[in-house]
Amino acid sequence: MRTHPLDIGSRKLWRTLGREVDLDGDDSWLRSPTSPRDLVADGWLQDGAAVLGGSLIADDHDAGLLGDLSELDGPGFTAADLHPQVRDFYHHTARYRIEVWSSWTPIFWPPGEMISRLWGRRLQQLALPMRPLDVAHGMDSRVLPIRDADGRQLAAGWLRSLRSTGDYVYSGCYLPRKVPGEDRLSLVVSFPLQSGNMQAVLQPHVLPGGALRLESPPGPFGSAGTYVLVEDGGRTFVRRLPVHETFVVYVDDEGVVRTDHVLRVFAAPAFRLHYRLDRLG
């Protein structure tokens, strides 16, 4: 299969800027699914399940992003302190319908549009909505858990596509994982790419009222943050990015679960999403 020149170029760029890592050794915390081809969509799921040592479950209509949020318990975080509806969303994500609104900071709109046109839409991955009307009809959502032979959930694939067109926006793998720079487990969200991935390592916090904040703050290599990984010439390279995300999942005064998502480049807000999450059935 011929690889697009843009993908070859970006792989060489991250190889040059990144550090070489050993996924079979001390850097195994960075191992997560990649895509076998440039069109990502949902084509990584079977191979990704094998990478994680599990099997893909395609017919669980009650699946959640995490088998149990308490897996993330540790110093500074106790899942039992979260609002019950917030916990329910993570335990039964497949039962929720998603409505979403988007907004870009003007200075970041041109590079965002370029990335969306040259990579996101072509790859069917990380195709950030550029205009509010892009998501006017909402998103469709599928959750496919990855479980071991004993039925324990290792991870979950969460696929989100535009309801109006069917095009993929996000195709991510969600798993709890200990990274070397943190004293408790993080939620790792990995977005497969051909011969690589982008990973957001998110630390959880409980806010007043039982809201959940997940954040990938600035910090050193090995701590919570955002990473890009590429495989090139039989070697693996990783670069930590100055991209920082914050998600606040909360229940509003009318009992509706909502999420505010802010993506920052260095300290500057670049992109915002707001989700309304309605439980069905």
Side-chain angles (χ1 to χ4, degrees):
M1 180 184 298
R2 184 175 179 270
T3 302
H4 195 285
L6 283 173
D7 300 335
I8 296 174
S10 60
R11 200 173 303 156
K12 298 300 183 184
L13 172 68
W14 295 122
R15 172 177 176 146
T16 301
L17 297 177
R19 64 168 72 184
E20 188 170 4
V21 295
D22 179 9
L23 299 184
D24 294 319
D26 293 341
D27 305 307
S28 60
W29 60 276
L30 287 160
R31 182 183 296 281
S32 62
T34 62
S35 174
R37 52 185 177 270
D38 58 354
L39 180 63
V40 178
D42 60 359
W44 59 271
L45 283 161
Q46 290 288 353
D47 289 346
V51 165
L52 297 173
S55 299
L56 186 69
I57 309 299
D59 57 355
D60 186 347
H61 303 297
D62 195 41
L65 297 180
L66 291 169
D68 190 339
L69 257 176
S70 64
E71 292 181 74
L72 302 180
D73 283 359
F77 178 78
T78 303
D81 293 335
L82 294 170
H83 192 289
Q85 287 175 253
V86 173
R87 296 200 307 271
D88 184 80
F89 170 71
Y90 280 90
H91 294 158
H92 306 286
T93 315
R95 291 193 176 273
Y96 282 78
R97 178 183 173 91
I98 301 175
E99 303 296 336
V100 60
W101 294 261
S102 65
S103 175
W104 283 84
T105 301
I107 194 172
F108 286 102
W109 192 91
E113 176 72 8
M114 181 185 71
I115 292 170
S116 180
R117 286 176 179 269
L118 296 181
W119 282 279
R121 298 172 198 169
R122 175 174 57 85
L123 303 180
Q124 294 282 283
Q125 174 65 294
L126 294 172
L128 298 175
M130 298 305 303
R131 301 161 185 82
L133 286 179
D134 289 347
V135 287
H137 295 277
M139 287 186 185
D140 285 326
S141 168
R142 285 193 294 149
V143 180
L144 296 90
I146 295 170
R147 298 186 177 130
D148 65 15
D150 297 323
R152 181 174 68 92
Q153 183 162 317
L154 304 175
W158 192 14
L159 314 178
R160 282 165 285 174
S161 55
L162 294 176
R163 197 169 295 139
S164 56
T165 65
D167 290 340
Y168 281 85
V169 179
Y170 297 108
S171 179
C173 181
Y174 289 67
L175 67 158
R177 175 169 284 172
K178 178 72 167 61
V179 302
E182 304 294 340
D183 58 1
R184 54 188 165 92
L185 268 67
S186 300
L187 176 61
V188 176
V189 184
S190 178
F191 299 100
L193 299 165
Q194 185 181 32
S195 299
N197 55 55
M198 183 172 286
Q199 302 180 32
V201 181
L202 303 163
Q203 273 282 286
H205 306 272
V206 180
L207 300 180
L212 171 66
R213 185 177 77 225
L214 293 164
E215 61 180 347
S216 56
F221 189 93
S223 63
T226 304
Y227 299 83
V228 61
L229 176 149
V230 297
E231 298 167 344
D232 188 64
R235 301 159 68 186
T236 305
F237 302 85
V238 171
R239 173 77 178 186
R240 183 182 171 103
L241 302 179
V243 174
H244 313 296
E245 294 182 88
T246 303
F247 300 81
V248 178
V249 187
Y250 62 97
V251 180
D252 70 11
D253 294 340
E254 297 180 343
V256 177
V257 183
R258 296 181 180 271
T259 300
D260 291 320
H261 172 201
V262 180
L263 183 148
R264 294 177 174 84
V265 178
F266 292 101
F271 178 64
R272 299 176 187 270
L273 285 173
H274 175 80
Y275 296 90
R276 176 185 171 120
L277 307 166
D278 291 304
R279 199 183 203 280
L280 305 178

